[in-house]
Amino acid sequence: MPGSRWGTPHLWAVALAACGGQFLVVLDVSVVNVALPSMRTDLGLSEVGLQWVANLYALTFAGFLLLGGRTADLFGRRRMFLVGLGLFAAASLAGGLAQEPWQLLGARAVQGIGAAVLAPATLTMLTTSFPHGAARTRAVGTWTAVGAGGGAAGGLFGGVLTDLLSWRWVLLINVPIGVLVLIATVVWVAESGESDRAARGRLDVPGALLVTVGLGTLAYGIVRTESLGWAAVGSLLPLLGGLALLGVFVAVEARTAAPLVPLRLFRRRLVSVANVAMLVCGGAMVAMWYFMSLYMQNVLRYTPLEAGLGFLSQSMSIILGSKLAPRLMHAVGARYLTMAGTAVSGVGFLWESGGMHTAGGYLATVLGPGVLMAFGSGLALTPLAAVATAGAAPGETGLVSGLINTSRTMGGALGLAVLSTAAASRSAGSENAPALVTGYALAFQIGGLALLACAVAMLFALPARAGAGSGPTTPVSSG
């Protein structure tokens, strides 16, 4: 019976709603990848512009994630859960019905904002509703497993929906699921605790806007260099503008009473190093899913369903790496496990870069390197979070855990902008298979070298006992 597992039917309903919301958020990070070629054909998106379908979601999600967590504390977990889920479902509907590229891109940006409000509320609903003990442990464990499952299932779900229905259903599927979760939440879930109404004026909206627009402008400038070059005014203006906005963000955070990102955290070596490493790893992970999907469909001519099935090995590998990481940490330490996972993933990237070709077979160009890339990423995520939280002061582990998740998502957005631009520049706008292969191979090569450089840097930047015996307070999504 539900009551025997979770304590009461009320708690069972809370767990069901929270896990449903988390599944949607994580699923939409990866579910669009397999549908990208179909989106491009239907809406006329350019090769470089295609990356914004994934990037706008990541940018707004990352930029507003910490703010979203704060709103759940100030205005109530249930209330912000409903707001975030409603916004997410409405944006999904708009994206699924889009007739022009700008409509799809706008919907993805709004989806990211909804996800940023929704995701923190799902976890805080669990931690504030369940008492300390076995019930809370089971609830958070289920929440973590659902998140991992959503990320892993994204490729397969996207392939099935695109192949059997159309690309529009990778977004439209969120609507009926979202409506069901909304109804269940309104009917069965009560608000947990009182919101901190006195602190509403301390919500750092300017900080969230500055970091999101700054990163987006910087990414746009990077993309513009592919067609205009680095010295062109059309490239320099957004590049310098993005850097200026990020500089203003730092200034605002240094002076505001309740900053989105307390800069004092970065005075701690472990926090700074772990977040930089997570930026690199996050960029590589997003690039792996993105370019592998394009390679399977644009070069190997897989159908969306075949591409989705092709991702199963990577999905299982990243879950396996994530499950093994906590056990291996006790044997070798967080520092060495992080280095090993990052290096293994880097080797997979270089294997993919050197081995992909127009007549590649699944075993050599998808399965082998894909397993290494994903397994290494899974191994690295948990110890990286452990290193970061080990450097946090008492009472700040939740904030640092949120920051490490934000760094991963921001790294994915910037990394995809850089690697997509490099790939498009190498292929010179050609859409024939040999040209596309050279572009994709360059992206994997840059990603692999960045990961190996990151692994070497951690050897010198992290102390030998970094994160020893500890783990992340807040789970880090592997999707």
Side-chain angles (χ1 to χ4, degrees):
M1 295 291 291
S4 63
R5 180 173 178 82
W6 298 108
T8 67
H10 162 70
L11 292 182
W12 176 84
V14 171
L16 182 63
C19 290
Q22 175 69 358
F23 180 79
L24 288 177
V25 168
V26 178
L27 181 71
D28 263 64
V29 175
S30 57
V31 74
V32 300
N33 286 324
V34 176
L36 290 173
S38 299
M39 291 177 176
R40 181 183 181 187
T41 300
D42 197 16
L43 297 180
L45 288 159
S46 67
E47 183 69 27
V48 173
L50 198 63
Q51 56 101 357
W52 287 104
V53 177
N55 241 3
L56 279 171
Y57 181 84
L59 280 169
T60 53
F61 185 20
F64 286 91
L65 184 57
L66 293 177
L67 184 70
R70 185 66 175 141
T71 61
D73 293 333
L74 300 185
F75 300 104
R77 286 82 174 172
R78 176 180 178 271
R79 181 179 294 112
M80 296 316 300
F81 178 89
L82 293 172
V83 169
L85 183 56
L87 189 61
F88 184 87
S92 298
L93 177 62
L97 299 178
Q99 301 299 313
E100 298 290 339
W102 68 266
Q103 295 170 350
L104 175 61
L105 297 178
R108 287 291 284 170
V110 177
Q111 259 193 316
I113 296 174
V117 176
L118 176 61
T122 63
L123 185 59
T124 54
M125 277 174 58
L126 290 181
T127 56
T128 57
S129 298
F130 283 81
H132 285 284
R136 179 184 291 187
T137 300
R138 284 195 299 269
V140 174
T142 303
W143 179 89
T144 304
V146 166
L156 180 59
F157 277 21
V160 171
L161 292 170
T162 303
D163 215 35
L164 299 183
L165 298 171
S166 82
W167 67 263
R168 298 181 181 278
W169 279 96
V170 303
L171 299 173
L172 292 176
I173 194 65
N174 295 328
V175 179
I177 297 175
V179 169
L180 288 175
V181 176
L182 273 172
I183 294 173
T185 304
V186 170
V187 173
W188 289 308
V189 178
E191 185 63 80
S192 54
E194 292 294 323
S195 58
D196 186 3
R197 300 180 185 276
R200 286 188 179 182
R202 300 167 62 190
L203 200 60
D204 187 17
V205 176
L209 290 173
L210 283 168
V211 72
T212 303
V213 177
L215 285 170
T217 305
L218 182 62
Y220 176 72
I222 293 170
V223 170
R224 294 282 287 173
T225 63
E226 185 272 326
S227 58
L228 301 178
W230 289 93
V233 174
S235 300
L236 285 175
L237 283 179
L239 286 171
L240 295 176
L243 291 174
L245 286 170
L246 293 176
V248 175
F249 166 73
V250 172
V252 167
E253 296 305 284
R255 289 167 174 77
T256 188
L260 190 68
V261 180
L263 299 181
R264 69 179 186 279
L265 294 177
F266 293 102
R267 298 185 190 130
R268 301 188 176 98
R269 180 180 172 189
L270 293 180
V271 174
S272 297
V273 173
N275 276 277
V276 171
M278 190 59 88
L279 279 169
V280 177
C281 292
M285 285 178 62
V286 171
M288 174 186 70
W289 301 113
Y290 179 85
F291 286 107
M292 190 68 84
S293 176
L294 295 182
Y295 173 65
M296 283 192 283
Q297 294 184 76
N298 291 343
V299 177
L300 301 183
R301 301 301 176 187
Y302 287 9
T303 66
L305 178 57
E306 289 171 338
L309 291 172
F311 275 127
L312 283 178
S313 57
Q314 284 100 310
S315 299
M316 295 302 103
S317 296
I318 200 168
I319 291 175
L320 178 61
S322 299
K323 294 298 182 184
L324 288 177
R327 300 179 183 181
L328 294 176
M329 280 172 58
H330 292 291
V332 301
R335 177 201 191 202
Y336 294 111
L337 184 59
T338 300
M339 291 167 50
T342 304
V344 167
S345 187
V347 170
F349 270 75
L350 295 181
W351 179 0
E352 182 67 34
S353 173
M356 63 164 41
H357 51 90
T358 56
Y362 176 75
L363 292 179
T365 60
V366 178
L367 179 64
V371 166
L372 280 187
M373 287 187 280
F375 182 70
S377 295
L379 284 179
L381 285 178
T382 297
L384 264 180
V387 167
T389 54
E396 291 182 341
T397 53
L399 177 60
V400 172
S401 295
L403 185 60
I404 201 81
N405 275 303
T406 301
S407 295
R408 177 187 58 80
T409 310
M410 286 183 175
L414 289 179
L416 185 56
V418 171
L419 296 180
S420 294
T421 302
S425 179
R426 176 61 64 88
S427 60
S430 175
E431 296 184 19
N432 63 66
L436 291 175
V437 165
T438 61
Y440 301 158
L442 178 62
F444 279 107
Q445 182 181 33
I446 295 172
L449 293 175
L451 286 169
L452 292 179
C454 183
V456 173
M458 283 189 283
L459 177 63
F460 299 99
L462 293 177
R465 298 293 296 170
S470 65
T473 301
T474 300
V476 178
S477 170
S478 59

